[in-house]
Amino acid sequence: MKSQTRVVVIGGGIAGCSTLYHLTQEGWTDVVLVERNELTSGTTWHSAAQVTNFGAVQTMVGLKSHSIKLYKELADDPEYPINYHHADGGMRLANTQAHMDGYRHFASVAKGMGVEFEIIDAEECARRHPLISTDNLLGGLWDPLDGDIDPAQLCQALARRARLAGAEVYRNTPVTGLTQHKDDSWTVHTEHGDINCEIVVNACGYRVNEVGAMMGVHHPVMSMEHQYFLTEPIKAIEEAGHRMPLIRCPVSDYYCRQEKNGLLVGFYEQDCRTWGMDGIDPKFVNALCPDDLDRVTDVLEGAFARMPALTEVGIHTVVNGPITYTIDGAPLVGPIPGKRNAFCIIGLRAGLGEGGGHGWLLAQQIVHGEACYDTWVTDPRRFTGHCNVELTALKAIEDYQNEFRFHMPHEHRPAGRPMKTTPITPILAAAGAEFGVVNGWERVAYIKPTPDFHETHSFYFNETFDVVAKEIAAIQSGVGMTEVNGFNRFEITGTGAKAWLDTMVCGRVPTKVGKVGLAYLLNHHGNVKAEATLANLDADTIWYGSAAASEYHDMDWLQKHLPDDGSVQVKSLTNDYTILVIAGPKSRELLSAVSRGDWSKEAFPWLSVRRAFVGIAPAVIMSVSFSGELAYEIHVPNNQLYAAYLALQNAGKPLGLSLFGSMAVELMRLEKGYRHWKADLITEFNPMESALDRFVKTDKPAFIGKEAMLAQNEKGLRQHFVSLVLDCTHAPAHGGDSIVLEDGTCVGTISSAGWGHRVGKNIAMGFLSPEYSAIGTKLMVEVIGVPVPAEVVEFDLYDPENAKIRA
């Protein structure tokens, strides 16, 4: 066994084998995989092993397409062929119009990745799968490349190719400990000796937190018992002359695929069960949980109704094994938060189907720092410190129970809530606030007009349309207030703080005390890494503010590049402060009523910051706006937030102060062309492609990503970020929808969209092929699968001179 290598991958299932193979494909061959038992002896061996192209976002579609292409290549390898039922086809059924709407949207999402899905009616579903009934069925989504694969053969094929490229695999080699050294390298301790390496990868399936504990971290991953059974042969299948397509049914919470001449039928029952919360038997290897078909009786009845043939055939084998879930159902693939040279590829509940793609993207991140796609949907840093075992269990149960039910727009499911609150959360609830969730924080979405108001989640404009319109109108004519909790906030101090930040951002760092600026950080490929508001509080203190979800992501990036001489310190204040935003033409009058000092336009102009008091509460106040109206961010310590809120409420009564929520802010920012991190700002594009030219100062001597950005710009724009107005009033576009030409050719993708109430237009923003990005270009945007006319317009549709913000 080697004592020194570049990377040690821990775990020999699909996650580990895929990572090892793809590391060799990226040019790193001095790599090792260690497995405590035999390859595929964990969850992988009992996987139902379905291989679908379906994904809710483009990154997931892309990595699944890679998996399918790779698996087909492996299956066709004459030297080591594997069993892969490629392109049997599969359908996701629907019995509600809302679900069919979702399928039309997801088909448009896939189109942008070169993947073609088909929307079919109930009769066509039955024609393609003659065993199903059309009772209570509207139709479905057809994936022509759906199929299934042999799990053990797949992993052995990947391991074989990795070995041929120079990698080594050590079976029956349990890891007993991990030690990280001052230079951030690691020693992996095993029962057969130590291996020193630069990088460690946790690919340990349901034993993920056993290895996590060795490096002092907890991963929000929970295992769920999952049952499926294999039937005896079915005559109709034997006589069909072709393989049956796969079925996934959100109506009855089951899936099925052909297995020999019978069916494999799996269930996602409501009476589900977590597994391993109190520890896992070291001897649980190639093992299963006890059968418990009584638990799936209700689901089984639904499957019988949809497929009557199941009532006439016997059960051959029952399988009940653990599969892993994360808090939001998507895997954790990428850097481990707070650790150097440590990565994970875990929580892969659909591991076999998409594991080839996950290993591909992870290998790119390890070798190159970033992947070809923006990987935020799988980034382990999207979850922060609130993700304890109990919360993970509740969310895993909820996600398991809704396996085939995708999230509708603005839907925030109830399990594990409330997790993060502020002192005024119950006050806002009493005032009628409806809450959404941002990184665990309960954040006001809108204010219900009546206690019994109910929102019907839909891809169309719904009951909230008029509610949010009234909130915006009240802001536009007077003054409104909302709470923005969880906003990421770092205090950067030290004699070298400003000079260091100047090397981190591609634009200017505000040098004058009391000024605020917007800045962008690039990665080493010259693409957009982060967006930050920089507030220059005093000579050696800058506040760095960014999106609530970016807390771990941004801290990792900043700490990774801190100077070694200790001249700069970064401290997180994210969980210590909350923002009260006041916006509207009367907001200065309100601020002046609660805080001493001169708040006039001359004394405190746009993009200013000042320490002050709001009533008796200390605060940091910034003259910034995400709405396009005159506005102030009031940053208050959480233990004095209620006092500040009361002061503003009392002073605001004679001014007609009203409350508003994040949905209003989201729509107002579209009218101004303001970006949303990880929707409109992603790592696939540089600032010029993201239409952020004015924030780039190429005359600066150096900043991270400068050379790569300039080199890419010489080649020309790959895509160009634009704003569009859609000619329809029934629905907004949704992130991922395709921008197309009249002949249906896809030329771009929507990133954000919604109705601009102040300008009376249906607005969308997105990335587009540069040749179609000129102002005035006529295009089409697929809205719930139907192309509608659209036109490229200027970003700043509301108050383009910023007269209101500067008032």
Side-chain angles (χ1 to χ4, degrees), residues 227-230 288-293 315-321:
Q227 295 186 92
Y228 64 80
F229 63 66
L230 307 175
L288 295 171
C289 309
D291 301 346
D292 190 5
L293 287 183
I315 296 175
H316 179 274
T317 304
V318 178
V319 173
N320 184 16

Side-chain angles (χ1 to χ4, degrees), residues 14 35 220 224 296 300 409 428 470 511 546 561 700 767 778:
I14 179 59
E35 161 57 41
M224 302 291 298
V296 302
L300 188 57
L428 295 169
K470 290 178 181 178
T511 56
S546 56
H561 295 94
K700 288 174 56 173
F767 288 93
K778 301 290 198 301

Side-chain angles (χ1 to χ4, degrees), residues 513-517 535-536 599-610 620-624 632-633:
V513 172
K515 298 305 291 182
V516 177
N536 195 351
W599 297 102
S600 66
K601 173 183 177 180
E602 293 72 24
F604 197 69
W606 182 41
L607 298 180
S608 295
V609 61
R610 179 191 299 175
V620 171
I621 302 175
M622 301 184 195
S623 177
V624 294
Y632 301 94
E633 287 184 359

Side-chain angles (χ1 to χ4, degrees), residues 528-578:
V528 177
K529 182 74 173 180
E531 178 189 60
T533 299
L534 303 179
N536 195 351
L537 287 178
D538 57 48
D540 295 319
T541 304
I542 285 183
W543 268 18
Y544 173 111
S546 56
S550 69
E551 180 184 356
Y552 281 6
H553 173 278
D554 287 13
M555 181 61 84
D556 268 5
W557 186 251
L558 295 176
Q559 289 187 332
K560 180 179 181 179
H561 295 94
L562 282 175
D564 296 330
D565 60 7
S567 60
V568 182
Q569 299 81 43
V570 181
K571 175 184 178 182
S572 178
L573 303 176
T574 299
N575 298 305
D576 300 331
Y577 283 76
T578 292

Side-chain angles (χ1 to χ4, degrees), residues 20-79:
L20 189 75
Y21 165 74
H22 283 100
L23 283 170
T24 65
Q25 294 300 293
E26 296 299 325
W28 285 18
T29 57
D30 181 16
V31 291
V32 162
L33 182 149
V34 293
E35 161 57 41
R36 70 193 304 272
N37 301 110
E38 293 289 345
L39 297 185
T40 75
S41 59
T43 294
T44 300
W45 80 272
H46 60 74
S47 169
Q50 300 166 93
V51 184
T52 176
N53 224 0
F54 179 83
V57 297
Q58 288 192 331
T59 296
M60 296 302 291
V61 175
L63 67 87
K64 290 182 179 186
S65 293
H66 175 84
S67 295
I68 290 171
K69 181 180 178 181
L70 171 63
Y71 297 172
K72 185 67 167 63
E73 179 188 334
L74 293 173
D76 293 341
D77 184 348
E79 295 184 6

Side-chain angles (χ1 to χ4, degrees), residues 618-699:
V620 171
I621 302 175
M622 301 184 195
S623 177
V624 294
S625 176
F626 202 50
S627 64
E629 304 290 345
L630 178 67
Y632 301 94
E633 287 184 359
I634 304 171
H635 300 245
V636 186
N638 283 334
N639 62 354
Q640 291 165 299
L641 181 65
Y642 183 44
Y645 176 82
L646 284 179
L648 289 163
Q649 277 284 18
N650 292 333
K653 286 177 182 178
L655 300 175
L657 177 66
S658 62
L659 295 174
F660 65 95
S662 60
M663 288 177 66
V665 177
E666 175 69 10
L667 298 180
M668 289 188 288
R669 67 99 178 170
L670 289 170
E671 295 172 304
K672 295 293 293 179
Y674 296 158
R675 317 298 200 267
H676 194 296
W677 187 69
K678 289 308 177 189
D680 313 307
L681 301 168
I682 58 177
T683 57
E684 296 175 30
F685 303 110
N686 65 39
M688 280 62 174
E689 293 163 331
S690 304
L692 298 171
D693 311 50
R694 68 188 185 280
F695 295 100
V696 180
K697 304 300 180 185
T698 55
D699 58 342

Side-chain angles (χ1 to χ4, degrees), residues 448-455:
K448 294 183 287 187
T450 61
D452 61 349
F453 179 84
H454 176 72
E455 176 185 3

